[in-house]
Amino acid sequence: MVNNKETSMVASLLAVMAVVLSFLSTAQAAAKVPTVIVVGAGMSGLSAAKTLSDAGIKNILILEATDRIGGRIHKTNFAGLSVEMGANWVEGVGGSEMNPIWEMVNKIKLKTFFSDYDNVSANTYKQVGGLYAESVAQHQLDSLDDVVEFSENLSTLLTAKKQEDISVLTAQRLKNRVPSTPLEMAIDYYNYDYEFAEPPRVTSLQNTAPLPTFANFGEDLYFVGDSRGYESVVHYVAKQFLTTNKAGQITDPRLLLNKAVVQITHSPSGVIVKTEDGSVYRAEYVMLSPSIGVLQSTLIDFKPDLPPWKILAMYQFDMAVYTKIFLKFPYKFWPTGNGTEFFLYAHEKRGYYTIWQQLEREYPGANVLLVTVTDDESKRIEQQPDSDTKAEVMGVLRAMFGKNIPEATDILVPRWWSNRFYKGTFSNWPIGVSRFEFDQIRAPVGRVYFTGEHTSQHYNGYVHGAYLAGLFSCYITNSLSNTYNGNSKTRKIFTGIDSANILIPCIKKGACTYHVQPKGT
């Protein structure tokens, strides 16, 4: 028989155990709350996550909307071949500085091919009637080189004198070289739209001429044509801090796929992130890496709304669309060999299936062509059946090579603009966005931080820009001293990327001040 004293002792012991269990439960729950949630497992998101991990902030959670990592670097199977739907080139090789992506590509020994554009003048086709004389096409290319040199010098002068930015088209007008004929427009498209995915009337001069990617890393371009895919560089970054199994597959529980973020509630005490499947995640901070196109859409609902200065800055930047259409044929009917890889089609409609590439070196014997369209043509093509696109493409090829060519057996038309998780392919710096507005785009809002290729000041639009933005979203610099509060008179955002930091010191030391270069400086 148990006496009252023993009963009291048991009750006391149970009470103590309840308190201890409650404490342990609370501690375990707290331990499960990540310091940072990273939204997106593309190059920039994973680069940011790795940077946090390297700094000792390992309590992170990565939420990826799709069933894979890599973002806009994505291989797919096309007619038995592994082709790149998104990023395809390492741009900026052979210069005084090493492109970090080129270094990775070489470390993992991805198969690449030098893209030689030197003989385009000998491979430029009229709308009807065959090739232009090489001397005629070369004259237009030389004329374009003069405009480019003039534009770069003008851009440098405007920057030095702190003058307002102008568009690339304005520079062309000042040089009295505005393209008007099909040949002039084709050469112009090849030089500008093929790089920026938007026309000269849209693109900022001061932020694209000279282009830092080529000025710093070199002017060479290498096409990635490896069955492992360009996305291998993203996996290379991820595997440096995420756990894998013996087969090399990522098994780290901190990476969750098929988790589309649809709502972010933020306050001074932390963030709450909701995903489309109804899951709820809490953290101290959130780092957003979706494209600027996604941020301009309604996919993610912010509670409370982002401040007006942030929304206005984001809405001013451009999300461009660059579409690579692959076609397979039963046999080759186009020239092959040295100096024939790239060819142009000059149509009265600017940008109408203008840039072509035969891929015999990259895919020997596969009989594959690649044609690139951009901007409004990309959006138009995304909205029509592939059969209509194929018919249009065959009409262009017959105009170039005659009526007796075979029909394409396969066609691949990526639809980046229509995809709600991307809303385009890469950002382009438009006229009207100064350094001040750009800094606002990458500025944090409370505990909400931003990264992505669109936040890379010098390399927006490039894979290396995405990688470097991920690094610098955690380590950002500056030397100004005003406090950022959304007031145009006292705003301050980072003025560089190499001397101080943002998120990591904020987490570790509570140093969460943010600096901006005042407008007009």
Side-chain angles (χ1 to χ4, degrees):
M1 186 172 180
V2 180
N3 59 36
N4 291 337
K5 185 176 181 179
E6 289 173 327
T7 302
S8 178
M9 288 178 63
V10 170
S12 298
L13 182 60
L14 290 173
V16 171
M17 289 178 64
V19 171
V20 170
L21 288 173
S22 176
F23 173 80
L24 290 174
S25 176
T26 302
Q28 289 172 349
K32 292 180 181 178
V33 174
T35 304
V36 182
I37 291 175
V38 177
V39 178
M43 177 59 89
S44 193
L46 289 172
S47 175
K50 177 184 179 297
T51 304
L52 292 168
S53 180
D54 290 348
I57 303 168
K58 301 182 183 296
N59 189 16
I60 58 178
L61 180 65
I62 305 166
L63 302 177
E64 165 56 41
T66 70
D67 61 357
R68 61 179 184 84
I69 69 172
R72 286 164 276 164
I73 308 176
H74 182 32
K75 71 173 182 178
T76 193
N77 183 279
F78 168 67
L81 304 170
S82 178
V83 299
E84 302 294 338
M85 296 181 70
N88 216 141
W89 281 267
V90 183
E91 299 197 48
V93 177
S96 58
E97 299 179 28
M98 171 62 78
N99 185 324
I101 303 302
W102 183 239
E103 187 174 13
M104 293 181 209
V105 162
N106 283 287
K107 279 185 178 178
I108 61 179
K109 298 180 180 179
L110 277 185
K111 187 183 293 184
T112 61
F113 301 85
F114 174 70
S115 291
D116 186 358
Y117 297 93
D118 285 348
N119 207 37
V120 167
S121 60
N123 300 288
T124 300
Y125 291 82
K126 301 175 183 178
Q127 185 167 339
V128 290
L131 287 164
Y132 283 94
E134 182 176 356
S135 59
V136 173
Q138 188 60 51
H139 174 74
Q140 288 303 324
L141 285 165
D142 292 341
S143 177
L144 178 67
D145 287 343
D146 290 342
V147 175
V148 169
E149 183 179 2
F150 169 80
S151 298
E152 290 182 354
N153 291 336
L154 178 59
S155 175
T156 302
L157 180 64
L158 291 174
T159 301
K161 292 184 175 293
K162 298 182 179 179
Q163 297 295 308
E164 290 289 330
D165 191 16
I166 61 174
S167 68
V168 172
L169 177 58
T170 300
Q172 292 176 323
R173 287 170 174 157
L174 290 170
K175 186 66 174 174
N176 197 27
R177 298 281 180 85
V178 178
S180 58
T181 69
L183 176 59
E184 291 170 349
M185 289 189 292
I187 298 295
D188 187 63
Y189 184 89
Y190 159 72
N191 190 71
Y192 293 108
D193 303 52
Y194 189 45
E195 189 66 35
F196 304 117
E198 290 191 317
R201 70 175 182 275
V202 170
T203 302
S204 159
L205 179 71
Q206 285 182 258
N207 294 292
T208 60
L211 200 59
T213 284
F214 300 130
N216 297 338
F217 295 133
E219 297 185 355
D220 292 344
L221 289 78
Y222 283 81
F223 183 100
V224 177
D226 193 295
S227 60
R228 292 172 291 169
Y230 199 171
E231 62 195 47
S232 297
V233 297
V234 183
H235 286 263
Y236 173 78
V237 171
K239 290 176 182 179
Q240 292 180 53
F241 74 101
L242 295 176
T243 55
T244 60
N245 60 21
K246 291 182 180 179
Q249 299 168 321
I250 297 172
T251 56
D252 200 305
R254 296 175 296 173
L255 171 64
L256 300 181
L257 302 178
N258 297 305
K259 292 290 184 178
V261 171
V262 294
Q263 186 181 94
I264 296 175
T265 302
H266 54 106
S267 70
S269 60
V271 297
I272 301 172
V273 178
K274 294 183 180 180
T275 56
E276 203 165 44
D277 62 4
S279 300
V280 178
Y281 305 92
R282 289 173 169 79
E284 295 179 39
Y285 303 89
V286 63
M287 175 74 77
L288 287 168
S289 72
S291 74
I292 190 70
V294 170
L295 294 176
Q296 292 167 346
S297 75
T298 58
L299 178 65
I300 301 176
D301 179 27
F302 292 91
K303 291 186 176 297
D305 290 339
L306 294 176
W309 61 263
K310 183 69 175 182
I311 295 172
L312 183 60
M314 292 193 306
Y315 284 11
Q316 289 183 78
F317 219 59
D318 279 5
M319 187 64 178
V321 193
Y322 186 103
T323 307
K324 298 182 292 130
I325 301 171
F326 291 88
L327 301 129
K328 183 173 173 60
F329 295 86
Y331 58 85
K332 289 183 286 294
F333 53 84
W334 52 84
T336 59
N338 293 335
T340 64
E341 183 174 1
F342 295 93
F343 51 102
L344 305 182
Y345 176 63
H347 191 272
E348 61 188 353
K349 181 180 180 182
R350 190 179 185 280
Y352 189 77
Y353 302 108
T354 302
I355 313 289
W356 292 80
Q357 183 178 0
Q358 56 94 351
L359 299 172
E360 185 61 23
R361 281 192 312 144
E362 293 81 359
Y363 303 105
N367 308 321
V368 173
L369 289 177
L370 167 61
V371 60
T372 299
V373 295
T374 62
D375 198 39
D376 289 342
E377 276 298 283
S378 289
K379 295 173 183 178
R380 180 185 69 81
I381 287 169
E382 282 197 24
Q383 296 177 83
Q384 69 183 17
D386 288 354
S387 57
D388 289 358
T389 303
K390 180 181 170 184
E392 292 174 357
V393 166
M394 290 307 304
V396 169
L397 288 170
R398 290 188 175 107
M400 288 192 282
F401 299 108
K403 296 181 179 180
N404 297 323
I405 62 173
E407 193 78 11
T409 57
D410 300 272
I411 184 171
L412 173 65
V413 183
R415 286 175 165 79
W416 291 103
W417 177 64
S418 304
N419 191 315
R420 66 193 180 115
F421 296 140
Y422 304 107
K423 302 302 295 178
T425 45
F426 52 81
S427 67
N428 183 42
W429 196 314
I431 180 65
V433 176
S434 70
R435 170 63 187 276
F436 177 72
E437 285 85 17
F438 179 75
D439 281 345
Q440 289 182 303
I441 291 170
R442 58 183 182 180
V445 175
R447 290 176 176 262
V448 182
Y449 285 71
F450 298 83
T451 188
E453 51 83 10
H454 59 278
T455 68
S456 175
Q457 179 189 352
H458 299 297
Y459 307 117
N460 72 285
Y462 294 94
V463 176
H464 49 274
Y467 174 72
L468 293 171
L471 298 181
F472 299 139
S473 62
C474 301
Y475 285 106
I476 307 278
T477 180
N478 142 348
S479 58
L480 299 182
S481 59
N482 302 6
T483 301
Y484 190 87
N485 64 6
N487 185 305
S488 62
K489 294 181 180 179
T490 58
R491 286 176 182 154
K492 59 172 186 174
I493 305 180
F494 16 84
T495 59
I497 50 178
D498 57 1
S499 65
N501 48 50
I502 278 213
L503 182 53
I504 290 172
C506 185
I507 294 171
K508 289 190 167 185
K509 302 176 182 178
C512 302
T513 56
Y514 192 58
H515 299 278
V516 195
Q517 180 168 309
K519 193 165 188 176
T521 62

